[in-house]
């Protein structure tokens, strides 16, 4: 079945299960504003044919089955196009929240709609909007809001992020994007780029008037100001993305250095959202803890050591229970996505002058090292200081050095001394700034576009530094930067990207 973007659609908008109230939502697509829409609503709500619901007013209605028996009584809210969520005529029916009640109302809507279409078809083919009603796809209401210019793409994505938000900070970030603040900031920058570009292109069109354009027009100064504003925007988006995506922290090190103890210590000190993966030999290989609203997914690699390091040997491990195998696969997956690697060593071995350098340690460690992303930040954790009498402290390179195995945090997973130093360091790696403005709850897609924008702006700056002979390239860089920015709000968006974005929404949203 091919799905049209203006078919009338219906879906249950509240979550599956029983509740005090359930909502069935309908968006009437190509019927909006036509007599058939009014007839449909009147009939569904058990009213006379000439009855019209007042827009934006709750009305008590009795939703009737085809034989005029009542399925349920509830409140109908009608929003006339274009003043609705989707921009089309929208009807929301608040009824009792039982799954069967809701399904019966959806079924009744579909049946009634198709009977109206066939009645109309026989009465007046020319005036008949052929589309009949169908079930909504996931995210289709919001997709229509996007297609009808009620929301831009970044705002539409923020709808899903708000629903999925798992911390207060994430809610505020999603709301900042949904309100359009993120899109507005992007538009302002894009406009500045367009202005600058227009200036450059006018010069290119009239080369005879070109007298040291870059100097005369303050193009470099303008570009510098755009880049400055861009950096601030990027930072807010990065902060927001952090709230959405969190950090994956992988614990590595030899057996018995205290990886599981550290995992537990971090989890138990926080009011943890525990995600234990059941296993026969280990209780937990992964925990999610929250620091300042940022989700840290902490992964212990000990399971890999127990069941063989390499992907293919996992299957061979005859004694590896299926659940363990799933746990190990997840651990590999986490390793490949690690943002931070904590290499644990025993304080006693440091005291004994043993080099904690990780590379080349053994087969498992090498296999893990090979899968770690190049940009993952690395830190050495010197554990068990309660045994050596060391004080909790930090030694070595600054936090900005992303490959800092010499950067050592001395702590004790057992007593908890030094855990605060580690937490603070993790937040620093995450780029967390306690007093910063609310982040925009950006997605990886947005960050990718922002990174691309940044590289075009860098190129623009480099070309500007080479003087007027590079003006054409300068203009092209500006054009590319502006195009990348516009991808975020969806000005240039391929259909398959839309499918991917809206397909991840829940039904009824
Ligand atoms: P893993 O194999 O790296 O996961 O290490 P475990 O967390 O299982 O710890 C191995 C042993 O070291 C256990 O007996 C722990 O109680 C002990 N241990 C872990 N951390 C500390 C610590 O900070 N101080 C002391 N004294 N013992 C610790």
């Amino acid at each position: 079945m091919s799905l049209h973007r203006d078919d009338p659609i219906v879906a249950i908008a509240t979550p599956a299960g029983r509740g005090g109230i359930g909502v069935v939502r309908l968006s009437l697509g190509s019927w909006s504003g036509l007599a058939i829409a009014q007839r449909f609503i009147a009939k569904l709500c058990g009213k006379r044919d000439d009855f019209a619901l007042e827009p934006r007013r709750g009305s008590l209605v009795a939703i009737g089955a085809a034989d005029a028996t009542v399925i349920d009584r509830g409140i109908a809210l009608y929003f006339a196009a274009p003043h609705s969520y989707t921009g089309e005529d929208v009807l929301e029916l608040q009824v009792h929240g039982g799954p069967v009640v809701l399904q019966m109302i959806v079924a009744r809507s579909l049946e009634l709609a198709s009977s109206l279409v066939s009645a109309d078809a026989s009465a007046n083919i020319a005036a008949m909007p052929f589309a009949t009603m169908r079930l909504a796809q996931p995210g289709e209401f919001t997709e229509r809001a996007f297609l009808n210019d009620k929301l831009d793409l970044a705002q539409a994505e923020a709808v899903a992020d708000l629903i999925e938000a798992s911390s207060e900070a994430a809610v505020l970030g999603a709301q900042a994007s949904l309100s359009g603040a993120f899109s507005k900031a992007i538009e302002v920058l894009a406009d500045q780029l367009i202005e600058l570009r227009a200036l450059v292109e006018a010069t290119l069109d009239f080369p005879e008037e070109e007298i040291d354009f870059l100097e005369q027009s303050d193009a470099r100064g303008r570009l510098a100001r755009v880049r400055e504003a861009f950096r601030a925007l990027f930072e807010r988006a990065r902060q927001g993305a952090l709230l959405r995506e969190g950090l994956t922290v992988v614990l590595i090190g030899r057996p018995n250095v205290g990886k599981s103890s550290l995992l537990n210590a971090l989890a138990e000190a926080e009011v943890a959202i525990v995600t234990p993966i059941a296993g026969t030999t280990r209780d937990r290989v992964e925990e999610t803890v929250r620091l300042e609203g940022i989700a840290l997914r902490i992964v212990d690699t000990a399971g890999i050591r127990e069941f063989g390091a390499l992907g293919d040997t996992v299957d061979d491990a005859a004694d590896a229970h299926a659940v363990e195998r799933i746990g190990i696969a997840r651990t590999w997956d986490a390793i490949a996505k690690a943002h931070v690697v904590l290499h644990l060593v025993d304080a006693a071995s440091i005291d004994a002058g043993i080099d904690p350098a990780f590379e080349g340690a053994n087969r498992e460690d090498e296999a893990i090292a090979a899968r770690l992303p190049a940009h993952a930040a690395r830190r050495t954790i010197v554990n068990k200081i309660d045994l050596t009498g060391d004080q909790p402290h930090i030694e070595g390179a600054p936090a900005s050095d992303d490959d800092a195995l010499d950067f050592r945090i001395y702590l004790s997973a057992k007593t908890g001394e030094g855990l605060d130093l580690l937490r603070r360091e993790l937040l620093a790696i995450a780029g967390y700034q306690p007093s910063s403005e609310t982040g925009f709850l950006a997605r990886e897609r947005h960050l990718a576009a922002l990174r691309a924008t940044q590289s075009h702006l860098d190129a623009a700056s480099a070309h500007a530094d080479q003087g007027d002979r590079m003006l054409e390239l300068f203009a092209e860089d500006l054009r590319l930067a502006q195009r990348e920015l516009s991808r975020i709000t969806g000005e240039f968006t391929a259909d398959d990207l839309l499918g991917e974005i809206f397909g991840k929404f829940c039904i009824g949203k």
Side-chain angles (χ1 to χ4, degrees), residues 255-261 282 383-384 386-387 412-414:
N256 289 323
V257 290
K259 294 182 295 297
S260 6
S261 305
R282 308 195 68 83
N383 188 31
K384 308 194 189 184
D386 56 302
L387 296 179
S412 164
K414 186 172 179 181

Side-chain angles (χ1 to χ4, degrees), residues 408-419:
R408 297 177 186 172
I409 303 173
Y410 286 70
L411 54 75
S412 164
K414 186 172 179 181
T415 66
E417 297 167 273
L419 277 184

Side-chain angles (χ1 to χ4, degrees), residues 17 23 30 56 74 116-117 119 143 169 177 179 196 221 259 294 297 306 336 355 384 395 400 425-426 497:
V23 173
S30 60
R56 307 184 194 214
L116 287 182
V117 168
E143 183 176 27
S177 298
S179 72
L196 184 53
K259 294 182 295 297
I294 298 174
R297 177 185 181 197
E306 282 163 27
D355 182 4
K384 308 194 189 184
E395 253 178 40
S400 60
E425 178 59 15
L426 290 173
L497 175 64

